[in-house]
Amino acid sequence: MADITRTVSNPTSSDAAEMERLGITATTATYFHWRGYRYTTARDALHAARHAERASPATASG
């Protein structure tokens, strides 16, 4: 698997204060990568890989 690079954007102190005032929160997200595609759910990544495997069993893994 390729290296995972995370880009973190920290708000400025004034942005953070406004975000708190407005009730804005931040969360982290997990992405699943397969063949250059990015999926937000494991189910979608598995579906794509399984579909490719059925279409061409010899090349589904890579």
Side-chain angles (χ1 to χ4, degrees):
M1 178 179 242
D3 290 337
I4 296 173
T5 303
R6 175 177 286 172
T7 302
V8 177
S9 175
N10 293 317
T12 64
S13 60
S14 62
D15 284 346
E18 188 169 17
M19 288 173 66
E20 184 174 346
R21 180 180 68 79
L22 295 170
I24 298 170
T25 60
T27 61
T28 57
T30 299
Y31 295 104
F32 303 88
H33 300 268
W34 178 76
R35 287 195 175 173
Y37 293 96
R38 183 175 73 180
Y39 300 91
T40 55
T41 67
R43 172 176 255 168
D44 288 346
L46 286 166
H47 176 79
R50 289 173 180 151
H51 179 75
E53 185 176 52
R54 284 191 301 273
S56 180
T59 61
S61 65

